[in-house]
Amino acid sequence: MARSLHSAVSTQATLDAICRLAVGAVDGAEHAAVTLVRGDSFTTVAASSDVPALIDCMQYETGQGPCLDAIREHESFMTHDLSKERRWPQFTSRVVRSAGIRSMLAERLFLDSDTLGALNLYAEPTSAFTERSEAFAAMFAAHAAVAYQAARDHDKSVNLEIALHSCRRIGMAMGIVMTREAVTEQQAFEALKRVSQKRNRKLADVADGVIVAGLLER
């Protein structure tokens, strides 16, 4: 499972794999989702089905639920029967009525002290999760957090490389325009930008045209 998580080709693919593998790996799990936290904002970024998105939305709207407590209190939270749960009254009354989910297990996703979010697992039967489920989910969440961070860092690196490559192409095009038209650096950039806006093309694509043609075609 660890190898599968780390072989995903992008951050979103990694998140999707986390949900898919969690359902197959954790005893009792029928649905899975990943919630990420940014400041005070919570977002469901991946789910194994439509059910988790509905349930997570109820948690965000009520400000209650295992997922939010796992993130806030840095612990795992498991409930065997949401219809009898008293810790989250506003959330549980809605989820049982609307989604038919009885069991839920939430594990915090974190690296050192940095909380990334939570891995949420759901099931319709009562007492679907056991202590073994909780222990395995905690181990799985640790691998998931590392895999997600690695995927995110990789995406950032790729995006930075693309941005640097674009800057080099634009710089080369500006040099050509400056030489051919005897204009300043700022004037060359403004000329490229005008063509980009006029033709509704990316600035880097306009730059490529200049590099190939040896001049700025207006």
Side-chain angles (χ1 to χ4, degrees):
M1 285 186 294
R3 285 191 293 270
S4 295
L5 289 176
H6 284 280
S7 65
V9 297
S10 67
T11 300
Q12 188 58 53
T14 300
L15 293 167
D16 293 339
I18 289 170
C19 295
R20 183 182 68 255
L21 292 170
V23 171
V26 179
D27 289 346
E30 296 178 344
H31 310 278
V34 173
T35 292
L36 294 184
V37 57
R38 295 179 179 85
D40 296 327
S41 177
F42 303 95
T43 306
T44 301
V45 292
S48 62
S49 68
D50 294 335
V51 173
L54 173 64
I55 298 173
D56 288 351
C57 185
M58 295 176 190
Q59 292 191 88
Y60 307 153
E61 289 176 354
T62 62
Q64 298 180 349
C67 167
L68 303 190
D69 279 1
I71 292 172
R72 292 165 176 161
E73 301 184 26
H74 297 181
E75 297 179 11
S76 64
F77 281 83
M78 181 168 62
T79 179
H80 296 293
D81 190 349
L82 284 167
S83 66
K84 298 179 180 179
E85 184 61 68
R86 298 292 178 264
R87 285 176 289 184
W88 313 288
Q90 293 178 324
F91 164 66
T92 54
S93 63
R94 291 182 59 182
V95 70
V96 173
R97 182 175 65 252
S98 303
I101 293 295
R102 294 293 192 275
S103 298
M104 189 169 171
L105 172 59
E107 291 287 345
R108 182 172 69 118
L109 295 174
F110 68 98
L111 294 170
D112 297 325
S113 60
D114 182 20
T115 297
L116 305 173
L119 170 65
N120 307 312
L121 305 173
Y122 317 82
E124 291 187 12
T126 59
S127 302
F129 301 115
T130 64
E131 290 184 2
R132 183 176 184 275
S133 301
E134 187 174 17
F136 193 88
M139 179 174 63
F140 182 86
H143 281 289
V146 173
Y148 166 69
Q149 184 64 46
R152 189 169 64 171
D153 289 345
H154 177 264
D155 281 358
K156 287 182 179 179
S157 176
V158 170
N159 291 337
L160 178 60
E161 185 175 344
I162 292 173
L164 289 174
H165 181 60
S166 295
C167 287
R168 285 195 294 269
R169 286 149 55 200
I170 293 169
M172 290 174 62
M174 288 171 58
I176 293 171
V177 174
M178 289 168 65
T179 301
R180 291 294 298 267
E181 302 185 11
V183 296
T184 66
E185 181 178 348
Q186 183 61 36
Q187 289 172 327
F189 179 73
E190 291 297 333
L192 289 170
K193 190 166 68 172
R194 282 194 298 271
V195 173
S196 171
Q197 294 170 344
K198 180 181 178 180
R199 297 185 180 179
N200 194 27
R201 295 179 63 196
K202 293 181 179 178
L203 190 60
D205 292 339
V206 173
D208 283 343
V210 173
I211 294 170
V212 171
L215 53 85
L216 179 59
E217 297 179 355
R218 292 179 169 80

